[in-house]
Amino acid sequence: AQSVTQLGSHVSVSEGALVLLRCNYSSSVPPYLFWYVQYPNQGLQLLLKYTSAATLVKGINGFEAEFKKSETSFHLTKPSAHMSDAAEYFCASRNAGGTSYGKLTFGQGTILTVHP
Amino acid sequence: DAGVTQSPTHLIKTRGQQVTLRCSPISGHKSVSWYQQVLGQGPQFIFQYYEKEERGRGNFPDRFSARQFPNYSSELNVNALLLGDSALYLCASSLGGLEVGVGFFGPGTRLTVL
């Protein structure tokens, strides 16, 4: 069974500092991977997705993530944090290939706090 | 173009009652998925429907059921509510078929069971 582990339930950075949110997956076959952001009292917004093409994936709002098979990781980064980045971030995986019938497996989430 | 819509926004029920949550996907999307997000946790997959047929089911009891209508909207039903059913219920829509992933979530329905 697939699993997703997000290291660090809370991450705090200063405005302008590097953002690094960690995600590791467990799967016998490299899955498709996703990062979502959730603002308070809202649904999930897709930031970016990896679907076995380029290993460095660029998303919205200046975020990017790099798929590293050898480390089974898909960490999310942003060079310079903005106050508006404060939210909860979820890493998710699903089986590669086939149709979109497969389920998404989510990590526990990481709350990002940005200090002025 | 409207995004995924869900109704109601908030709902308060008591133990043992039944609840129906509704979801309208993005126009043109044929697949709808339901997720349960308990406070402080990541969403958990409940169901996926594509072309009105159930295509996937998560590890939830039979008290949970769903259906998809000809216009691709969907309902999630939960019977005999328990306190532990209190959560944010998210609906997501996708094109279906060979399209990858589930990219579009609705704002959710916050269910409180007293």
Side-chain angles (χ1 to χ4, degrees):
Chain A
Q2 288 188 18
S3 68
V4 175
T5 302
Q6 292 183 238
L7 301 176
S9 58
H10 291 80
V11 170
S12 180
V13 300
S14 298
E15 190 173 21
L18 171 71
V19 175
L20 170 61
L21 304 182
R22 301 177 186 273
C23 172
N24 288 88
Y25 68 89
S26 174
S27 174
S28 57
V29 176
Y32 293 152
L33 296 162
F34 308 82
W35 275 101
Y36 288 87
V37 61
Q38 186 175 36
Y39 296 99
N41 300 313
Q42 294 188 26
L44 301 172
Q45 180 182 10
L46 180 66
L47 284 176
L48 48 81
K49 63 183 179 183
Y50 166 76
T51 57
S52 70
T55 56
L56 182 61
V57 181
K58 294 186 183 298
I60 62 173
N61 300 339
F63 284 94
E64 63 182 35
E66 185 172 9
F67 173 75
K68 291 186 176 181
K69 183 178 178 180
S70 60
E71 299 177 7
T72 61
S73 68
F74 189 58
H75 302 331
L76 181 70
T77 60
K78 181 174 181 178
S80 177
H82 192 272
M83 296 296 290
S84 61
D85 294 327
E88 189 162 17
Y89 292 79
F90 291 94
C91 182
S93 72
R94 61 149 280 192
N95 291 329
T99 68
S100 63
Y101 303 154
K103 69 176 184 180
L104 285 174
T105 299
F106 284 86
Q108 292 292 89
T110 298
I111 296 174
L112 176 66
T113 302
V114 182
H115 297 288
Chain B
D1 201 9
V4 179
T5 59
Q6 293 186 243
S7 63
T9 305
H10 295 85
L11 204 52
I12 299 175
K13 293 286 189 178
T14 57
R15 283 178 296 176
Q17 286 189 310
Q18 175 265 342
V19 68
T20 298
L21 311 181
R22 296 175 177 82
C23 171
S24 292
I26 292 171
S27 177
H29 285 194
K30 298 181 178 180
S31 179
V32 169
S33 300
W34 287 95
Y35 290 80
Q36 180 196 65
Q37 186 179 17
V38 173
L39 194 64
Q41 297 183 19
Q44 297 289 315
F45 173 77
I46 310 175
F47 286 110
Q48 182 169 18
Y49 277 77
Y50 175 61
E51 288 284 13
K52 302 178 287 296
E53 291 187 11
E54 182 183 304
R55 301 291 187 169
R57 173 185 285 256
N59 188 24
F60 280 81
D62 292 342
R63 299 185 296 107
F64 288 77
S65 63
R67 55 180 175 169
Q68 187 176 33
F69 298 99
N71 66 354
Y72 303 108
S73 66
S74 177
E75 287 183 350
L76 174 69
N77 296 285
V78 186
N79 294 321
L81 285 167
L82 303 174
L83 295 180
D85 295 331
S86 295
L88 179 67
Y89 288 85
L90 296 166
C91 171
S93 81
S94 63
L95 290 168
L98 296 178
E99 182 260 345
V100 176
V102 180
F104 302 95
F105 280 79
T109 293
R110 174 73 63 185
L111 172 65
T112 302
V113 182
L114 302 177

